[in-house]
Amino acid sequence: MRESTLSVLAVTVLCAGSFSFAAAPAWPDIKVEVKADQPVATAQSLKQQADGFHRLAITLSNPGQQPLTIEKITVRIPVAERLTDDLEMLYGGSCMGRTPLLRQNVGTQTKLSSSHMYEMVRLADGQYLFAGSLSWRIFLPNLTLKDGAFVVWSNGEGKQLKPGETIQYEQIVLRRAGNWLDLLNQFGTAIAAENGITKLKDADFKGWATWDYYGRVFTANDIHGNMDQLNKLAPEANLIQIDGGWWPERGDYQSVRPNLLPGGIKAIAARIASEGKTPGLHFDGFRGDANSDIYQSQPDYFLHDQDGKVIVEVNEKPDKVMKNIYFDYSHPGARAYIAECIRNMKDNWGIRYFKVDFMRYGLEDDIKAANKQVKSIKSHDPTITSVERFRLGMKAMREAMGPDTYFLGCSAVFGPCIGFVDGMRTGGD
């Protein structure tokens, strides 16, 4: 199935119309509030772009003499139109398997009514109000609707600003439009432009993966036997994906389980390539295991909690007790390690398609959701957010893969991945 980076803007069934706003009101009285341990200076500008969107640019500055720490940012954008409870609204899907496309009425919203991508209200056929984010570089925007206003807020995650330092909040766009489908297409184009995407790779993969039948328990002979059958049943298949569990312990990505030897991934990939198919490999790019060699030798490559203890999520499976830990990509050694693993996969083993899975665990909210005892996270660089850590890891992975491979993001929060991946899964298994 073909998967596009911007497929997160999935089409829904809101009615289109030909209405166009006449003398549409502006977006007045926008307020920015920042909760921090010291005063933060804010500035904002709202400009209409050639693509029809109003772009809201917000800067945050430290006017003091000491470093400050940001706790929360809230942007309130009042809507001039009267928003009654019966009006339909749409929240864009923003995380594979966790936050799908959400369609509801204004009056039936819950605490789950939000999106990291966009929100849209249908006032009537051909009358739509829209707010969306074009970037996810420092903070993770949460877009929702409350008390007649679009509200965009972010957890500050302890982001630190040096004296005199100024940063930019994420790029928010606003619009009134008459056709929802054109609006979403234009929003996708604006996201691509903001994130330097000029062309998506023309890829159409069809094939077989080890996971759905074997899970983590497969041998080289299992793969070869299924390839023999695939060649008979679906000769047009062009991808074989070696899925999770090929490693000795999660995080030890330069070696394989004993029952995949002597040839290992390299021998399997060589056969796949010899038959004209693309060799694909899955790995968990943001987690390791407390039993792994990399953790035993480099514990500082992983995130710690408020008490200075490594964060460990114990997950008991029928065949294995996993002790999940989380890579800290603010540490240059952790970035160098994952890049070295990927270069070995590509240059030595011959992998040309990388499925990096469980990517949501590169972000603070999902780590805390899986580890209720964690109140705060300590990283090698405490001045940056988990979004910044995530993007440092993504940059290291993408550069190690190079431009001639395919990077599929999986189990991901979409926004921070855009600009690094070639495609993303948007639905569950």
Side-chain angles (χ1 to χ4, degrees):
M1 179 175 67
R2 183 168 182 165
E3 301 180 11
S4 165
T5 302
L6 301 182
S7 64
V8 296
L9 307 179
V11 171
T12 185
V13 291
L14 292 177
C15 297
S18 59
F19 180 90
S20 61
F21 288 95
W27 302 88
D29 303 321
I30 296 174
K31 291 182 171 57
V32 180
E33 298 179 359
V34 182
K35 186 176 181 181
D37 61 354
Q38 295 183 53
V40 176
T42 66
Q44 59 174 279
S45 66
L46 184 68
K47 296 181 180 179
Q48 186 165 7
Q49 308 295 303
D51 58 9
F53 288 102
H54 282 84
R55 179 178 292 218
L56 176 60
I58 298 169
T59 57
L60 313 175
S61 302
N62 180 359
Q65 301 301 311
Q66 300 295 326
L68 64 79
T69 301
I70 297 174
E71 183 178 332
K72 187 177 182 180
I73 302 154
T74 305
V75 183
R76 190 173 187 276
I77 307 163
V79 172
E81 293 81 0
R82 181 168 174 265
L83 302 182
T84 57
D85 286 351
D86 61 318
L87 292 179
E88 278 188 299
M89 65 178 308
L90 185 71
Y91 287 107
S94 51
C95 177
M96 173 188 154
R98 296 288 178 89
T99 51
L101 205 69
L102 177 62
R103 180 181 176 184
Q104 59 187 180
N105 293 333
V106 170
T108 61
Q109 294 189 100
T110 70
K111 64 180 181 180
L112 300 178
S113 300
S114 67
S115 172
H116 301 311
M117 299 294 295
Y118 71 86
E119 57 184 323
M120 179 163 49
V121 180
R122 185 175 76 89
L123 301 173
D125 286 353
Q127 300 183 52
Y128 302 92
L129 299 178
F130 180 91
S133 182
L134 301 182
S135 70
W136 304 263
R137 296 191 179 103
I138 301 175
F139 305 103
L140 195 61
N142 296 274
L143 295 100
T144 189
L145 184 72
K146 186 175 181 180
D147 299 330
F150 287 139
V151 177
V152 187
W153 67 272
S154 295
N155 184 342
E157 296 189 9
K159 172 65 178 177
Q160 295 181 25
L161 295 187
K162 299 174 184 177
E165 184 178 4
T166 295
I167 61 173
Q168 193 167 57
Y169 186 61
E170 305 308 328
Q171 296 296 297
I172 306 302
V173 289
L174 307 167
R175 191 163 181 183
R176 292 175 170 85
N179 185 294
W180 65 268
L181 182 56
D182 289 345
L183 174 60
L184 290 182
N185 285 333
Q186 291 157 3
F187 180 52
T189 299
I191 289 176
E194 179 68 25
N195 292 277
I197 301 169
T198 57
K199 184 180 180 181
L200 296 180
K201 288 181 180 173
D202 187 14
D204 187 6
F205 292 114
K206 298 180 284 288
W208 177 82
T210 56
W211 183 258
D212 288 330
Y213 182 81
Y214 294 100
R216 286 178 298 277
V217 185
F218 60 87
T219 67
N221 286 337
D222 293 326
I223 296 175
H224 294 312
N226 278 274
M227 285 183 64
D228 291 340
Q229 294 302 313
L230 185 68
N231 289 336
K232 298 173 185 176
L233 297 172
E236 74 280 5
N238 61 2
L239 171 70
I240 301 295
Q241 181 176 287
I242 306 166
D243 221 288
W246 52 267
W247 47 78
E249 293 290 349
R250 193 182 303 262
D252 290 335
Y253 296 141
Q254 292 181 305
S255 53
V256 301
R257 287 189 280 110
N259 64 351
L260 292 176
L261 295 172
I265 301 298
K266 184 174 184 177
I268 298 170
R271 178 189 167 177
I272 295 169
S274 72
E275 296 182 359
K277 299 179 177 64
T278 298
L281 191 66
H282 158 294
F283 67 96
D284 189 338
F286 290 86
R287 296 187 300 181
D289 192 284
N291 293 320
S292 64
D293 289 342
I294 185 59
Y295 171 66
Q296 298 301 321
S297 63
Q298 301 289 348
D300 53 334
Y301 287 3
F302 297 88
L303 294 171
H304 293 64
D305 66 12
Q306 64 278 351
D307 300 317
K309 298 178 181 179
V310 65
I311 301 170
V312 181
E313 175 199 353
V314 178
N315 192 351
E316 296 189 16
K317 297 292 186 180
D319 61 313
K320 187 176 179 62
V321 177
M322 299 179 181
K323 297 179 180 179
N324 295 326
I325 55 179
Y326 305 89
F327 279 105
D328 176 5
Y329 287 127
S330 75
H331 196 299
R335 299 197 300 273
Y337 170 74
I338 202 67
E340 181 183 0
C341 291
I342 292 170
R343 283 193 293 268
N344 180 62
M345 296 172 192
K346 177 189 174 187
D347 298 334
N348 183 26
W349 294 352
I351 299 302
R352 292 295 177 267
Y353 174 106
F354 294 89
K355 174 190 173 186
V356 181
D357 210 345
F358 301 110
M359 295 172 69
R360 65 169 66 97
Y361 293 112
L363 298 173
E364 179 174 300
D365 287 349
D366 284 282
I367 294 174
K368 287 183 173 179
N371 301 272
K372 301 299 184 184
Q373 79 282 5
V374 175
K375 306 305 178 185
S376 63
I377 295 174
K378 290 187 176 180
S379 61
H380 175 75
D381 184 349
T383 69
I384 65 176
T385 67
S386 68
V387 176
E388 291 174 288
R389 287 198 307 267
F390 180 91
R391 290 175 63 85
L392 286 171
M394 292 293 285
K395 183 174 184 289
M397 292 180 199
R398 178 78 264 184
E399 289 179 351
M401 291 176 195
D404 58 336
T405 65
Y406 196 90
F407 184 173
L408 176 68
C410 194
S411 295
V413 176
F414 302 137
C417 299
I418 294 174
F420 297 106
V421 298
D422 297 305
M424 280 185 280
R425 281 186 57 184
T426 59
D429 286 348

